[in-house]
Amino acid sequence: MTHTQTDRGHLIGIIGAGPAGLYAAKKLAEAGAHVVLFNRDIKPGGLAEYGIFPTKHKMKEGLRKQFRRILAHPQVDYYGNCSVGEKGELTLTDLQKLGFAALICAAGAQGTKSLGLPGEDAVGVVHAKDLVYHYNHLPPFSQRQFPIGRRVAIIGMGNVMIDIAHFLLRLRQDVEEVIVVARRGPAERKYDEKEYKYIEAFVDQDALRQEIARLRPRLEAVGQDAEALIAEMTTTPPPARLADYPGRMLFRFLASPTRVLTDADGRVCGLEVEENMLVPRNGDTSARGTGTYVEIPLETVVFAIGDRVDDAIGLPYAHGEFLTNAPADTTTTTGAAYQVYDPVHQKVLEHTYVVGWSRKASDGLVGKAKQDAELGIETVLHGLAAVPAPDAAEVAERRQAIRRLVEERCTYPITKDEVALLEEAEQQIAAQVQAEEYKFDSNAAMLEAINSHKASVA
């Protein structure tokens, strides 16, 4: 899709500076727009910075280089450490009054899902995202203590489960067993096989063969081949066990969690599951309970079942997602899928859009976020094609007004120049301690590093 000169010069606001927000900013700036990014965290990057497993240094640094180039664009402004929401330092209404030609929410999916189980608020129940943020040093999660026992159940069978298992078995040597609890069977696993290679050495392959063999009648009832599944999930000979990491990984398929069991002190002591059977459904399979319940003794339960958007941002919301103009049952990404819909007034919110995980929570990784942002921006640019762009003087005046409001409302807003100072400080420490990377664990430490660097170059 091509655009006329009328696209140029529009002022666009973006909430969130993760992959979707940053790639959206890139495409807009290339089309001639001026972009203002508002980010909850001090550092940009979102899940690319705080969601990728710590040992994947090459991948993370490659993304950081791309993001630095985007932020360096003269038509992109960045304000980190500024929260947007009903209880944020800036509200959606504040942003709507700033004269943006379009407002784009790319804040990701900051809410957590739960199953509504009895006991799921007990000490020892953890949400995967909180744990991922913790081991990736995102404040305030980096400063929280998470009670992790010797036996841990992870509910869910996607890529996030792989990362959590990897963390528990590789970085927490006190964990003896990680049990993956899956509602459906081995054929319905959702993780990427490339990701599985990272944790395959921890998998108790004899136990996995026995588990699939145990389910043979239930698998064969829906035409699934137990032997083929065993061959897919195991290797002969098995990968060498890592000598310094004693923990093992188990799978419990066709098991729906029904209750978190707690002791007299309110701490997790087990998980009750209902045994399932598989039933054909619309060319796929679904799980149906058998009425048989089993208790699994353990000390920690991790929910890795996806995320929901943050309804506190203030956009129309239902069932874990912001409402868009696309039909609820569609999976296509037409322009309507990016337009925010107001059900109260039964109309599209003018020039208001969602992209990335704010449009569809937990959908894909960085590449998918980039693709979704770029498709969404095509819709934004199409909507602005008939809207006259302000002249350069007006844009400059509005950018100054935005800066004044940010400095008035946000306690310590961070600019892209200050992000560069922070990265420089972290790189210096990493070099000193001979580490691949170093991250400050608190906002206070980051702000102190920025100020120290400012003083040193003054």
Side-chain angles (χ1 to χ4, degrees):
M1 188 185 295
T2 58
H3 300 283
T4 65
Q5 187 69 18
T6 55
D7 292 331
R8 303 185 65 81
H10 288 106
L11 187 63
I12 313 293
I14 300 179
I15 304 167
L22 288 162
Y23 288 122
K26 178 178 186 288
K27 192 169 179 69
L28 285 165
E30 288 172 349
H34 299 270
V35 183
V36 183
L37 288 156
F38 301 92
N39 196 37
R40 178 194 68 172
D41 306 323
I42 288 177
K43 294 169 75 173
L47 281 179
E49 180 68 30
Y50 294 113
I52 295 174
F53 200 75
T55 56
K56 297 180 179 179
H57 301 293
K58 187 175 180 180
M59 178 191 297
K60 287 191 289 185
E61 192 52 37
L63 290 167
R64 288 180 185 131
K65 286 178 180 177
Q66 293 182 48
F67 298 158
R68 289 181 194 121
R69 286 195 294 269
I70 294 169
L71 288 180
H73 198 291
Q75 289 168 214
V76 174
D77 294 332
Y78 175 82
Y79 297 111
N81 205 28
C82 291
S83 58
V84 176
E86 293 167 353
K87 295 182 179 178
E89 294 161 309
L90 297 168
T91 66
L92 193 63
T93 303
D94 291 331
L95 301 191
Q96 290 166 337
K97 292 178 180 177
L98 287 171
F100 290 116
L103 198 56
I104 301 163
C105 183
Q110 300 302 327
T112 52
K113 280 185 179 178
S114 62
L115 296 176
L117 305 180
E120 69 177 24
D121 295 327
V123 176
V125 176
V126 182
H127 289 278
K129 185 196 293 113
D130 295 354
L131 204 54
V132 170
Y133 284 165
H134 172 73
Y135 65 65
N136 273 305
H137 304 279
L138 172 64
F141 302 93
S142 50
Q143 297 160 288
R144 282 178 53 188
Q145 295 299 313
F146 290 90
I148 305 293
R150 290 176 295 108
R151 300 190 82 222
V152 182
I154 306 175
I155 301 172
M157 203 164 41
N159 284 335
V160 174
M161 174 276 289
I162 297 286
D163 276 356
I164 296 297
H166 195 184
F167 163 69
L168 293 171
L169 293 164
R170 189 72 177 264
L171 304 181
R172 292 285 303 249
Q173 294 189 7
D174 53 337
V175 173
E176 296 175 3
E177 282 187 357
V178 169
I179 308 160
V180 178
V181 178
R183 185 170 51 88
R184 294 196 290 170
E188 290 79 31
R189 59 195 188 277
K190 298 295 185 184
Y191 56 76
D192 187 319
E193 294 296 335
K194 289 191 299 182
E195 297 297 310
Y196 183 68
K197 296 297 180 185
Y198 288 104
I199 51 89
E200 191 174 20
F202 296 103
V203 175
D204 186 326
Q205 299 214 357
D206 288 338
L208 177 55
R209 288 186 180 91
Q210 292 168 16
E211 171 66 2
I212 296 175
R214 178 180 73 88
L215 303 172
R216 187 187 307 274
R218 284 182 259 177
L219 300 176
E220 291 176 347
V222 291
Q224 294 180 2
D225 185 335
E227 290 304 318
L229 289 167
I230 290 172
E232 286 175 17
M233 293 191 68
T234 61
T235 55
T236 305
R241 291 297 298 272
L242 302 169
D244 295 334
Y245 305 98
R248 68 172 183 158
M249 185 169 170
L250 305 171
F251 286 83
R252 184 63 180 254
F253 298 111
L254 294 178
S256 288
T258 51
R259 187 161 56 106
V260 177
L261 307 174
T262 56
D263 62 18
D265 297 322
R267 295 179 177 275
V268 172
C269 65
L271 181 69
E272 179 190 80
V273 299
E274 182 179 12
E275 296 278 352
N276 293 329
M277 59 186 292
L278 289 172
V279 294
R281 184 178 180 183
N282 300 327
D284 196 0
T285 60
S286 64
R288 180 183 296 169
T290 63
T292 299
Y293 297 85
V294 177
E295 294 183 0
I296 304 171
L298 43 82
E299 294 88 36
T300 308
V301 174
V302 181
F303 284 104
I305 55 173
D307 310 297
R308 59 180 180 81
V309 300
D310 181 5
D311 59 323
I313 284 175
L315 293 173
Y317 167 93
H319 310 300
E321 296 185 342
F322 295 129
L323 299 180
T324 68
N325 197 31
D329 60 350
T330 186
T331 56
T332 59
T333 49
T334 61
Y338 299 95
Q339 299 171 318
V340 178
Y341 182 78
D342 178 359
V344 176
H345 299 97
Q346 297 186 338
K347 65 176 185 178
V348 170
L349 283 184
E350 194 171 13
H351 302 308
T352 307
Y353 304 87
V354 286
V355 297
W357 281 18
S358 283
R359 186 185 69 81
K360 190 174 181 183
S362 309
D363 183 34
L365 302 174
V366 174
K368 187 69 176 284
K370 181 177 187 287
Q371 178 188 48
D372 198 71
E374 290 174 346
L375 285 170
I377 296 311
E378 289 291 341
T379 301
V380 174
L381 294 175
H382 182 74
L384 291 177
V387 178
D391 60 31
E394 187 178 348
V395 169
E397 185 178 323
R398 288 182 183 177
R399 289 170 78 179
Q400 285 300 316
I402 292 164
R403 186 181 185 96
R404 286 194 296 271
L405 179 67
V406 165
E407 290 175 345
E408 176 188 320
R409 294 287 189 83
C410 301
T411 305
Y412 201 121
I414 297 299
T415 66
K416 58 187 180 183
D417 291 338
E418 290 170 320
V419 169
L421 292 176
L422 174 60
E423 288 188 332
E424 191 177 327
E426 290 185 333
Q427 288 164 3
Q428 286 179 2
I429 294 174
Q432 289 167 8
V433 299
Q434 297 183 321
E436 289 272 6
E437 70 174 30
Y438 176 86
K439 287 185 180 180
F440 293 106
D441 258 348
S442 69
N443 283 353
M446 287 190 234
L447 295 175
E448 183 179 346
I450 290 168
N451 288 329
S452 295
H453 256 57
K454 277 183 180 176
S456 68
V457 297

